[in-house]
Amino acid sequence: GAGVSQSPRYKVAKRGQDVALRCDPISGHVSLFWYQQALGQGPEFLTYFQNEAQLDKSGLPSDRFFAERPEGSVSTLKIQRTQQEDSAVYLCASSPLLDYGTQYFGPGTRLLVL
Amino acid sequence: AQTVTQSQPEMSVQEAETVTLSCTYDTSENNYYLFWYKQPPSRQMILVIRQEAYKQQNATENRFSVNFQKAAKSFSLKISDSQLGDTAMYFCAFLSRGSEKLVFGKGTKLTVNP
């Protein structure tokens, strides 16, 4: 079956621009996660949804970051007024309910802010 | 807060040989899960193996096995009969029971040489 897909795969933004990153999880997966992976680092948790409910957004680095999953399927991570430090790979992952830690990752969106 | 430490930034091994990747973690909790994820070059991150902390028996998945030492808070990954396709970044990760937030280490870059 289809895995997790993300779009765009690459995004170049000028500092101050707004960007929107999309994630299509595996069909039927209840849980959806966003991570930020800086160059040479492990992924860092940003936020988590169970269906359409955002249950944990403790990892969002500032109020410029916003995520939504309005119908419990596709999710969008929005970054407003991008800064150079936002340059990273943004990973999306999905998981069936209660399958602790077994997450299925997408290919990521590489964001470069100039 | 939990932390995960991978002290080997890079490792290499000859094809068909065995290699062990190290991971230590810090937690005050008793119930948790540990994982090894693999991120091949330009490909999606996938789960290699998982271990529930309450299980004393070390997890095994084909050529991959772990050495889980709960008292020492150590969780190493052994790859037997290394194959060229094992070349990847390997991330150790921690999950508290009842949480959905994976905490990753910084990763070990493994190169399998022909």
Side-chain angles (χ1 to χ4, degrees):
Chain A
V4 178
S5 61
Q6 293 186 244
S7 60
R9 293 293 311 278
Y10 302 92
K11 177 69 179 178
V12 179
K14 292 183 179 179
R15 191 160 57 97
Q17 278 186 330
D18 297 348
V19 298
L21 313 180
R22 177 188 167 103
C23 172
D24 278 272
I26 293 173
S27 177
H29 278 192
V30 169
S31 303
L32 185 144
F33 308 82
W34 283 99
Y35 294 87
Q36 181 188 61
Q37 186 175 20
L39 190 64
Q41 303 294 315
E44 291 197 3
F45 172 86
L46 293 177
T47 187
Y48 156 62
F49 291 85
Q50 191 174 107
N51 296 307
E52 68 278 4
Q54 189 175 21
L55 299 186
D56 188 342
K57 54 181 181 179
S58 61
L60 295 176
S62 76
D63 58 7
R64 296 186 297 103
F65 287 71
F66 172 77
E68 61 183 4
R69 193 186 185 198
E71 297 179 359
S73 180
V74 171
S75 176
T76 304
L77 176 67
K78 298 179 179 178
I79 309 173
Q80 297 177 323
R81 304 181 304 282
T82 52
Q83 304 294 314
Q84 286 186 324
E85 60 264 28
D86 300 335
S87 295
V89 175
Y90 290 86
L91 297 172
C92 176
S94 69
S95 175
L97 189 63
L98 299 181
D99 196 353
Y100 294 113
T102 302
Q103 297 181 14
Y104 299 81
F105 283 81
T109 294
R110 185 176 298 276
L111 173 65
L112 177 63
V113 182
L114 301 176
Chain B
Q2 289 80 16
T3 57
V4 176
T5 302
Q6 294 179 249
S7 58
Q8 306 150 315
E10 292 193 40
M11 291 192 72
S12 62
V13 64
Q14 291 300 121
E15 198 174 4
E17 293 187 347
T18 295
V19 63
T20 298
L21 309 184
S22 301
C23 172
T24 58
Y25 57 95
D26 188 22
T27 185
S28 58
E29 299 180 12
N30 197 44
N31 294 321
Y32 51 87
Y33 303 85
L34 293 162
F35 307 84
W36 280 98
Y37 274 87
K38 168 186 177 181
Q39 190 174 39
S42 303
R43 293 180 60 188
Q44 279 147 268
M45 183 144 21
I46 58 172
L47 178 66
V48 175
I49 197 165
R50 61 181 279 166
Q51 173 84 39
E52 287 97 328
Y54 67 87
K55 290 186 177 179
Q56 292 188 338
Q57 186 172 6
N58 289 323
T60 300
E61 287 288 341
N62 301 313
R63 297 182 296 106
F64 298 87
S65 61
V66 298
N67 183 5
F68 173 48
Q69 301 289 328
K70 191 172 184 179
K73 296 180 182 175
S74 170
F75 183 62
S76 60
L77 174 69
K78 184 171 85 171
I79 306 174
S80 303
D81 185 26
S82 297
Q83 300 176 359
L84 296 178
D86 296 334
T87 292
M89 285 290 294
Y90 286 82
F91 293 97
C92 180
F94 174 99
L95 180 72
S96 299
R97 184 167 176 83
S99 170
E100 294 286 339
K101 186 186 301 187
L102 274 172
V103 177
F104 287 88
K106 290 188 176 182
T108 295
K109 182 179 180 181
L110 176 67
T111 301
V112 180
N113 298 308

